[in-house]
Amino acid sequence: MASVGRLMRAIRVQEFGKPEVLKLFKDVPVPSPSKDQKGDRVFTRATITGSYAEYTLASEDTVYPLSEKLSFKQGAALSIPYFTAYRALFQKAHGKPGELVLVHGASGGTGIACCQIARAYGFRVFGTAGSPEGLNLVLQNGAHQVFNHKEHDYIEKIQEAAGGEGINIILEMLSNNNLSNDLKLLSVGGRVIVIGCRGPIEINPRDTMFKESSITGVYVFNSSKEEWKEIGAALVGGMEAGWLKPLIGPEYPLEKAPQAHEDLIQSSGATGKMVLVI
Ligand SMILES: NC(=O)c1ccc[n+]([C@@H]2O[C@H](COP(=O)([O-])OP(=O)(O)OC[C@H]3O[C@@H](n4cnc5c(N)ncnc54)[C@H](OP(=O)(O)O)[C@@H]3O)[C@@H](O)[C@H]2O)c1
């Protein structure tokens, strides 16, 4: 809950540029909630005054109750990864329980969310990671089987584990690396959902032809009002049921926000969602 006249620490961005433009200010007025901006225990998917701060304002339609079972850190790690994961699996891939899902890049914030959701809804789940710790965490968070995307023959191993039919849905975190292989792994009618991409890649469109497979992008901020509502309800249900448990990865103090941005791009061996702490 905020109060008028107090000051807080917050990151402000006043120019475009590299992570160094994320500047810490120590004299930002604490925002004060008015009607439709509540001071309750919530998690939010969008803020009005900025989320890299000790206090923030969010409007009523962008907040959801945060279960007492979860910490505020977990609340901070929840929204974009889980909203994206649900949107990718259901609103874009139109996934059905029983289908085989590959979470390609499962050890980070979004991948862990994909694994937890897919497992809770009755999918068969494969996940990939690039470190032994990441592989263990993916297994503990919903995957039935895991594969190391740093091994040269891991695609063949996935192919073998999937059997003749192939993978129904691939939730892809690094499509500029993997899209061409993904098309080969898919089943007839299979779908690749592009969640993450850091550059171009060459593919053979013929790989989609005989399988009538598809490639669809997802951008969580395109969700309609109804779609946000649907996802929010599913996530609150997941907290109540107990399967939705955001996994906290590296923690950075607020003033290290520029370093956090650098590391997010450069580092490997993800172990959940990076968070800023105050
Ligand atoms: N489209 C949207 O609306 C939307 C929403 C949220 C996030 N995203 C994007 O989705 C991507 C993932 O987000 P995140 O929050 O999970 O990031 P993250 O926490 O940084 O995780 C990155 C993931 O990519 C994995 N990875 C590394 N090399 C890989 C490879 N060769 N093949 C497959 N996976 C590989 C990492 O595994 P290891 O570290 O274990 O190697 C890790 O699991 C980011 O690019 C992000 O910007 C998009």
Side-chain angles (χ1 to χ4, degrees):
M1 177 70 71
S3 71
V4 181
R6 291 169 58 204
L7 298 177
M8 67 172 183
R9 296 183 312 135
I11 297 286
R12 291 289 181 255
V13 177
Q14 295 175 319
E15 56 185 319
F16 290 109
K18 294 190 169 173
E20 307 87 85
V21 302
L22 296 157
K23 301 275 188 227
L24 181 73
F25 286 76
K26 296 183 176 167
D27 55 356
V28 179
V30 171
S32 189
S34 55
K35 189 174 170 294
D36 302 333
Q37 302 167 346
K38 300 180 310 185
D40 294 341
R41 191 175 201 279
V42 295
F43 73 93
T44 182
R45 61 174 168 83
T47 72
I48 297 165
T49 55
S51 54
Y52 285 17
E54 291 176 301
Y55 296 84
T56 189
L57 282 184
S59 81
E60 196 177 28
D61 59 339
T62 63
V63 297
Y64 308 83
L66 179 66
S67 161
E68 293 289 344
K69 292 177 201 163
L70 300 187
S71 66
F72 278 117
K73 267 186 218 172
Q74 287 177 302
L78 204 163
S79 71
I80 298 306
Y82 283 82
F83 276 95
T84 303
Y86 184 97
R87 180 168 178 74
L89 186 56
F90 293 111
Q91 295 176 345
K92 294 293 143 190
H94 305 289
K96 298 275 183 296
E99 288 192 301
L100 174 56
V101 177
L102 168 65
V103 183
H104 212 163
S107 49
T110 309
I112 293 284
C114 290
C115 291
Q116 289 181 359
I117 292 174
R119 183 66 182 254
Y121 280 84
F123 291 79
R124 190 172 157 220
V125 186
F126 287 179
T128 76
S131 70
E133 200 182 353
L135 288 165
N136 273 335
L137 289 172
V138 173
L139 261 186
Q140 286 160 19
N141 280 277
H144 292 92
Q145 265 179 272
V146 288
F147 304 86
N148 188 333
H149 51 233
K150 294 214 167 124
E151 285 179 7
H152 73 279
D153 60 345
Y154 84 101
I155 293 291
E156 288 75 25
K157 287 182 180 167
I158 293 175
Q159 221 152 15
E160 201 177 316
E165 289 192 8
I167 311 268
N168 302 117
I169 298 170
I170 300 181
L171 303 178
E172 180 57 61
M173 305 302 153
L174 200 61
S175 42
N176 51 302
N177 245 50
N178 300 325
L179 192 56
S180 177
N181 280 334
D182 287 346
L183 295 178
K184 297 181 177 72
L185 286 171
L186 284 181
S187 65
V188 171
R191 298 83 89 195
V192 182
I193 308 297
V194 174
I195 297 179
C197 183
R198 292 196 174 158
I201 181 172
E202 188 174 310
I203 60 162
N204 185 348
R206 198 176 173 82
D207 289 335
T208 66
M209 208 164 76
F210 299 111
K211 295 176 179 172
E212 298 186 314
S213 53
S214 60
I215 305 164
T216 305
V218 62
Y219 184 54
V220 69
F221 296 108
N222 281 342
S223 306
S224 66
K225 203 172 157 192
E226 291 70 31
E227 288 168 335
W228 285 118
K229 204 168 156 192
E230 173 191 328
I231 308 173
L235 300 187
V236 169
M239 276 184 270
E240 284 168 5
W243 57 258
L244 190 156
K245 291 185 205 153
L247 181 67
I248 304 299
E251 299 181 22
Y252 290 78
L254 192 58
E255 58 272 23
K256 297 273 188 203
Q259 187 63 47
H261 277 239
E262 290 283 0
D263 292 352
L264 192 67
I265 300 293
Q266 306 300 342
S267 63
S268 65
T271 52
K273 177 82 170 85
M274 180 184 280
V275 290
L276 288 179
V277 289
I278 50 171

